[in-house]
């Protein structure tokens, strides 16, 4: 089953609740909330209060992508605010084994994200600890960037490793996911698609954009 998550990084921040509800009505499976701290990535975005507000607005899976340094300092507030999954970025974690264990101890799903320049070997010892590996298909920090096709091979290799080890870990992709790139990443082995610009950008309504994205990954 392929999961589509709307990334509110690309939404209208003056209407976040409405835009989350529009995505829910359009049939997305979740909302991804990109938390940025101005250190791990240049921008500063959302805190636990936004997660709490969205928790009240939608019944969707809330996937919190912690693009922050020292994620271990912020896990419980996001979990208490209603996050269903916390994703830590491998490059922000000197002690990833401990960070992922701390997320697990909160009783929610565990994710690890890999930037385009980070090899799979950096998470080889962590795969048993996570529910999801998020392969960044752009460099973290901004929405609307072009998809990096070089990550397709990484997705394929990761899928092979997970299957060989009999791990039911899902592969997520984030960055430049649209009707053109979505079929490519699904074919490579991804099953959680995070899309911002493809859902909230452009002139078409959110519902139309979600429908087009869903249609693009239907078996031909
Ligand atoms: C990068 C962000 C983006 C965002 C989705 O740090 O994580 O990938 O979620 O961006 P687009 O607009 O490419 O779907």
């Amino acid at each position: 089953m392929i999961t589509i998550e709307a990334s509110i990084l690309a939404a209208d921040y003056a209407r976040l609740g409405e835009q989350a509800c529009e995505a829910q009505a359009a049939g997305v499976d979740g909302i991804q909330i990109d938390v940025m701290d101005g250190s791990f990535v240049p921008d500063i975005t959302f805190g636990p209060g936004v997660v709490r507000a969205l928790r009240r607005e939608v019944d969707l899976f809330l996937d919190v992508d912690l693009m922050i340094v020292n994620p271990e300092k912020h896990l419980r507030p996001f979990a208490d605010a209603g996050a269903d999954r916390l994703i830590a970025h491998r490059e922000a974690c000197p002690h990833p084994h401990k960070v992922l264990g701390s997320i697990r101890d909160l009783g929610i799903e565990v994710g690890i994200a890999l930037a385009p320049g980070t090899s799979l070997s950096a998470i080889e010892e962590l795969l048993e600890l996570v529910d999801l590996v998020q392969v960044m298909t752009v460099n973290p920090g901004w929405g609307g960037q072009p998809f990096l096709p070089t990550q397709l091979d990484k997705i394929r290799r990761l899928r092979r490793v997970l299957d060989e080890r009999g791990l039911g870990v899902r592969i997520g992709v984030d960055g430049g996911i649209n009707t053109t790139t979505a079929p490519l990443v699904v074919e490579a082995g991804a099953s959680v698609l995070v899309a911002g610009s493809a859902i909230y950008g452009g002139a078409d309504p959110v519902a139309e954009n979600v429908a087009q994205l869903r249609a693009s990954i239907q078996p031909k």
Side-chain angles (χ1 to χ4, degrees):
M1 182 219 169
I2 306 297
T3 297
I4 292 178
E5 296 183 359
S7 170
I8 57 163
L9 186 70
D12 176 351
Y13 297 173
R15 301 188 300 118
L16 270 187
E18 277 175 55
Q19 295 252 269
C21 290
E22 282 178 63
Q24 177 170 261
V28 302
D29 306 289
I31 298 281
Q32 187 164 94
I33 299 133
D34 283 337
V35 177
M36 298 182 180
D37 63 358
S39 294
F40 182 66
V41 291
D43 202 354
I44 297 176
T45 57
F46 315 115
V50 170
V51 176
R52 188 171 297 109
L54 292 175
R55 184 71 287 165
R56 289 196 302 270
E57 291 295 311
V58 294
D59 298 328
L60 294 169
F61 188 91
L62 296 185
D63 189 9
V64 175
D65 186 352
L66 297 171
M67 282 178 254
I68 62 175
V69 297
N70 305 319
E72 65 281 0
K73 293 183 178 172
H74 304 278
L75 302 177
R76 181 170 292 283
F78 280 105
D80 290 348
D84 294 298
R85 177 192 297 134
L86 292 178
I87 298 174
H89 281 245
R90 177 62 185 88
E91 303 81 8
C93 299
H95 304 291
H97 189 281
K98 181 161 175 40
V99 173
L100 299 175
S102 299
I103 298 173
R104 182 65 75 202
D105 290 347
L106 292 168
I108 58 177
E109 282 204 21
V110 183
I112 187 106
L114 275 188
T118 304
S119 164
L120 293 181
S121 61
I123 58 169
E124 214 166 344
E125 308 303 325
L126 305 169
L127 295 176
E128 279 80 1
L129 303 177
V130 301
D131 303 290
L132 173 126
V133 176
Q134 180 166 285
V135 175
M136 296 301 296
T137 40
V138 296
N139 284 295
W142 298 269
Q145 299 179 77
F147 175 82
L148 295 171
T150 54
Q151 300 307 297
L152 287 169
D153 180 57
K154 184 192 277 187
I155 296 166
R156 287 191 196 95
R157 284 184 281 116
L158 174 58
R159 187 70 267 159
R160 217 166 25 245
V161 168
L162 293 169
D163 292 347
E164 284 164 3
R165 288 167 61 169
L167 295 172
V169 176
R170 301 184 79 183
I171 299 177
V173 286
D174 180 10
I177 301 303
N178 56 36
T179 54
T180 303
T181 58
L184 302 178
V185 294
V186 168
E187 182 277 331
S191 67
V192 179
L193 312 184
V194 177
S197 310
I199 290 177
Y200 290 116
D204 290 337
V206 166
E208 176 62 25
N209 291 336
V210 173
Q212 294 285 348
L213 191 57
R214 189 75 77 182
S216 76
I217 55 174
Q218 294 310 311
K220 298 289 183 264

